[in-house]
Amino acid sequence: MICPSCQQSNDALSVHCFNCRQTLIVSGDKQLSSQSQRTVRKMTGRLTSGIGGMIGFFTVWIGLTKVYTDHWLSGPQVAIIGIAGALVGGIAWELCFSRPWRR
């Protein structure tokens, strides 16, 4: 993030400029800079996709190891299907839950 006062380059999540100590991130009653808004959206998207991925992985893994045990899949195959479930869960969570909150 570029400081509006001294043009010093700072980390995207820095609260104060490293050079002049100017406040970069404002309180909730003021508007965030566009770069801060993009950073927040990016981090929120990664977090929510990760949550969806974990839900997808554990749903598939528990379903194949604890609930539906009468299958012909080996352990590595169950893990691969679990990873596919994580990808599907992450994408589904992103599309269904995360997008409406980013407006």
Side-chain angles (χ1 to χ4, degrees):
M1 177 178 295
I2 304 296
C3 175
S5 296
C6 68
Q7 305 303 317
Q8 170 73 26
S9 178
N10 297 284
D11 292 334
L13 296 177
S14 296
V15 176
H16 299 287
C17 175
F18 291 125
N19 188 32
C20 68
R21 304 302 296 164
Q22 170 75 25
T23 302
L24 300 175
I25 299 176
V26 296
S27 64
D29 60 337
K30 297 181 183 175
Q31 194 65 266
L32 291 175
S33 68
S34 61
Q35 187 173 9
S36 295
Q37 290 174 352
R38 282 193 304 272
T39 302
V40 167
R41 283 193 301 270
K42 185 177 180 181
M43 291 177 68
T44 302
R46 287 181 179 175
L47 176 67
T48 57
S49 295
I51 291 169
M54 287 190 325
I55 291 171
F57 175 79
F58 285 114
T59 301
V60 169
W61 182 74
I62 290 170
L64 288 176
T65 58
K66 307 296 181 200
V67 177
Y68 180 66
T69 57
D70 190 28
H71 56 76
W72 48 268
L73 299 170
S74 66
Q77 290 171 329
V78 170
I80 290 171
I81 293 172
I83 292 170
L87 291 173
V88 170
I91 292 168
W93 190 278
E94 176 74 17
L95 293 175
C96 295
F97 297 109
S98 180
R99 296 252 181 229
W101 295 339
R102 291 193 195 170
R103 291 184 187 148

